[in-house]
Amino acid sequence: MRLVVILFVFGLLTACSSPNECTSQCADAVCGDDGCGGSCGACTEGQTCEGGLCTALGCGDGVLADTETCDDSTDRPCSPASYCESTNACLKAVYTGSVTTCDASCETTFTEACINDDGCCPSLCNPQTDSDCRPVGCGNGVLDDRETCDPPEIPCPESCPNDDPCKTIALTGIPEACNAACTVIPITACYPNTDGCCPADCATDEDADCLAAACGNAIVDIGEQCDNGLVWPAPGACTPDCDDNRACTNESLGGSSDTCSVVCSFIDVGVCVAGDGCCPAACDSTTDADCDAVICGDGVIDGLENCDSMIPAGYPGACPISVADCDDSDPCTTDTLVGVANDCSALCVNQDLACGAGDSCCPASCTTANDAECAALSLCDTYCTNAMTYCVGANLIYDTIEACQTACQTMPVGKDGDLTGPTLQCRIHHLMEAMNDAETHCRHAVEFPTEACI
């Protein structure tokens, strides 16, 4: 009887150990524990499993649901409407939704339309299309930094007359930005067809207009040094011997009057040597016997003479008689006669007017920084535009146009056509040449050149 009981218990334990005895409890459930160590399924993000079914989470439950833009219980908190504000007139901010519904959002858009007086100057607008693009200071009647005009007190040019076929004069800038100016660009390139200009370095087979230069027509045409149709000593006539009537210079003549190409060169004699007919200014009768022979009225300028009274008017070395003889045709200089012809001390002194005098002149020694009339010429704009355009890479002069403008303010303006000398006009000339030969000419146009514009 005891044996039978033991067998029954052993048989029961064996039946309950079978894996087929566990039945899943999922039924209609789509999520949760199946009762057998498994799962009935998983819910998507933003849902939770309740009673075997997936239900959406709510705002503030710590889960960022598909329909939510934020949730304060997550790492993406909701910002209040006060945070959606723009201090940039060109940036519009619009707040939608709310913190309580976890759908708060701030949408920003940039203004692209050119609209007057909205405080915004979009990138594609300018002072002509949008008054908000007007520079600060423009319209105050004062010529501020980088302004070339300030209407109506300082009118802006409306046109740029041009009677020189070898220059391009363009109206740049706009009155609304107070930067309108006439920019002068010399024409240096040879052009095979007729444009009315024969640049100085062009040959007749390179530029059709150079053929029009007629030696002997009594006009010093472009490419000519003189014209044999004029009678010496008239201005522009070809000198026959380059004689300047000075005892202390050695003259040499190059070119030919037949081709209107006469060029003179002079070398001063500075050594006290007896018998050469010269008494240099630094010598006297004790160091140079020729100084005893200095006579005012002998037709030769020697010693401390500035002229000689026997040299006919119009010839080199003739003594000026009146201030009219000293007129250099430059409205930006004062013309003065000092000394007298009788003792050969007469001398013309042509001195630049004072800088910034409000005299409608830009004297050669003034700069754009100390004379408003020089600034009105906008030469610095021409200089810097060309420097940044033609002198790049290995020939770079300035890193920024601002650095160029700063350097330009200190350069004496000089005269149009300067080929040498430390002037802005000389640098502008070489920058135009740099268009065709940057390696040679960019170094002539730097702030502190070591050749050409020195």
Side-chain angles (χ1 to χ4, degrees):
M1 192 66 177
R2 181 179 301 172
L3 180 59
V4 173
V5 173
I6 292 173
L7 291 175
F8 173 78
V9 173
F10 179 78
L12 182 60
L13 290 173
T14 301
C16 291
S17 299
S18 172
N20 297 325
E21 294 298 323
C22 184
T23 302
S24 171
Q25 304 300 313
C26 287
D28 295 327
V30 295
C31 60
D33 187 1
D34 66 353
C36 297
S39 172
C40 297
C43 295
T44 61
E45 183 180 358
Q47 296 180 325
T48 185
C49 185
E50 294 182 1
L53 300 176
C54 293
T55 58
L57 292 171
C59 180
D61 55 16
V63 178
L64 195 65
D66 291 338
T67 58
E68 295 177 341
T69 60
C70 57
D71 195 306
D72 286 342
S73 299
T74 68
D75 58 358
R76 193 187 297 177
C78 297
S79 299
S82 60
Y83 281 36
C84 188
E85 296 178 357
S86 173
T87 57
N88 185 340
C90 291
L91 184 65
K92 306 301 181 184
V94 178
Y95 187 80
T96 58
S98 70
V99 174
T100 57
T101 56
C102 291
D103 59 353
S105 177
C106 183
E107 299 293 334
T108 58
T109 57
F110 279 98
T111 300
E112 296 181 357
C114 304
I115 303 173
N116 291 330
D117 302 321
D118 65 348
C120 170
C121 174
S123 59
L124 297 180
C125 301
N126 60 59
Q128 287 182 312
T129 58
D130 193 325
S131 62
D132 298 289
C133 298
R134 189 185 186 96
V136 176
C138 183
N140 62 0
V142 178
L143 204 61
D144 297 304
D145 184 33
R146 300 188 184 180
E147 290 184 348
T148 58
C149 54
D150 201 312
E153 289 82 357
I154 306 175
C156 295
E158 298 180 356
S159 63
C160 298
N162 183 9
D163 57 1
D164 188 341
C166 283
K167 291 180 180 178
T168 298
I169 304 181
L171 180 62
T172 59
I174 52 177
E176 291 83 355
C178 292
N179 63 356
C182 291
T183 301
V184 180
I185 303 176
I187 295 174
T188 59
C190 305
Y191 187 58
N193 299 319
T194 300
D195 61 358
C197 172
C198 172
D201 295 331
C202 296
T204 56
D205 59 345
E206 297 175 313
D207 194 301
D209 295 288
C210 295
L211 295 174
C215 181
N217 65 354
I219 298 173
V220 181
D221 297 298
I222 295 173
E224 294 180 344
Q225 300 298 325
C226 58
D227 196 284
N228 58 25
L230 298 168
V231 180
W232 178 256
C238 299
T239 176
D241 50 20
C242 288
D243 186 5
D244 62 355
N245 292 315
R246 293 181 179 273
C248 291
T249 57
N250 294 322
E251 307 93 356
S252 63
L253 182 149
S256 170
S257 62
D258 293 337
T259 57
C260 297
S261 60
V262 172
V263 176
C264 296
S265 61
F266 305 94
I267 300 176
D268 290 333
V269 176
V271 182
C272 304
V273 178
D276 63 354
C278 167
C279 175
C283 306
D284 57 32
S285 59
T286 63
T287 57
D288 193 325
D290 296 296
C291 293
D292 288 331
V294 174
I295 300 173
C296 177
D298 62 358
V300 178
I301 302 172
D302 202 4
L304 298 177
E305 294 179 340
N306 292 320
C307 60
D308 194 276
S309 57
M310 283 301 292
I311 299 175
Y315 282 82
C319 292
I321 305 300
S322 66
V323 175
D325 296 330
C326 295
D327 186 3
D328 63 353
S329 301
D330 187 344
C332 293
T333 62
T334 57
D335 307 317
T336 307
L337 173 64
V338 297
V340 293
N342 291 340
D343 63 2
C344 297
S345 64
L347 178 69
C348 290
V349 177
N350 306 107
Q351 187 172 7
D352 284 344
L353 296 174
C355 301
D359 47 19
S360 300
C361 269
C362 174
S365 61
C366 300
T367 71
T368 56
N370 59 22
D371 194 303
E373 283 79 17
C374 295
L377 295 176
S378 193
L379 292 176
C380 279
D381 289 342
T382 300
Y383 170 70
C384 291
T385 297
N386 291 346
M388 301 302 289
T389 300
Y390 304 133
C391 298
V392 297
N395 301 306
L396 185 69
I397 298 178
Y398 300 102
D399 292 329
T400 64
I401 198 166
E402 289 77 16
C404 177
Q405 288 280 354
T406 299
C408 182
Q409 304 301 311
T410 64
M411 299 175 185
V413 171
K415 297 182 182 297
D416 185 19
D418 282 352
L419 302 182
T420 60
T423 68
L424 178 56
Q425 291 280 20
C426 176
R427 292 175 173 88
I428 289 175
H429 167 80
H430 284 282
L431 282 177
M432 291 306 300
E433 297 294 334
M435 178 170 57
N436 298 316
D437 186 359
E439 184 176 357
T440 298
H441 293 280
C442 285
R443 65 174 181 269
H444 298 161
V446 299
E447 184 176 4
F448 302 107
T450 57
E451 54 185 295
C453 298
I454 57 175

